[in-house]
Amino acid sequence: MLTMVRAIVRPEKTDDVLSALMDAGFPAVTKFNVAGRGKQRGIKIGEIHYDELPKTMLICVVKDDDKDYVIKTIMESARTGKQGSFGDGKIFVSPVEEMYTISSGTKES
């Protein structure tokens, strides 16, 4: 079974996460620049309120057996400081029922 791991991380942590995944043997990642807000509803700096903050979404599909290791790798490399802080991001995990390679039309499992 395959699992899709989607991680939304701080843009300044993106290179750290990508390097950690590469070093762990998971080089296949799709990257998007996104904007959004979490429970903190944006951020207020002085009198200015920023409703949405820039983030990066990283998507990778891994074997079910590798899921926990990939999640741990992302968490450790995306966290700010030892304890982490608000705005470090989220990881979403979902099953992949089918996957195809476009060039060959081959179904992968």
Side-chain angles (χ1 to χ4, degrees):
M1 184 62 127
L2 298 170
T3 300
M4 180 180 293
V5 178
R6 288 174 287 208
I8 299 174
V9 301
R10 294 175 182 260
E12 64 270 18
K13 299 299 278 182
T14 301
D15 288 341
D16 294 342
V17 175
L18 291 173
S19 292
L21 288 170
M22 178 75 82
D23 292 346
F26 301 95
V29 178
T30 300
K31 178 176 86 167
F32 296 95
N33 292 322
V34 296
R37 63 177 176 266
K39 294 176 188 175
Q40 75 275 12
R41 299 184 197 136
I43 189 170
K44 186 172 183 178
I45 300 174
E47 295 298 314
I48 300 172
H49 181 263
Y50 297 94
D51 190 42
E52 294 180 342
L53 302 172
K55 299 287 182 183
T56 302
M57 182 187 306
L58 303 172
I59 300 175
C60 58
V61 175
V62 299
K63 292 180 182 174
D64 228 17
D65 294 343
D66 296 326
K67 173 187 69 171
D68 292 336
Y69 183 65
V70 167
I71 291 168
K72 180 182 175 195
T73 300
I74 293 169
M75 278 197 203
E76 289 175 355
S77 56
R79 187 175 288 138
T80 54
K82 292 191 186 267
Q83 300 294 324
S85 66
F86 289 113
D88 278 352
K90 294 279 188 195
I91 297 174
F92 303 93
V93 180
S94 53
V96 174
E97 292 183 24
E98 295 181 359
M99 184 169 73
Y100 296 86
T101 299
I102 292 174
S103 61
S104 65
T106 308
K107 181 177 178 179
E108 298 180 41
S109 54

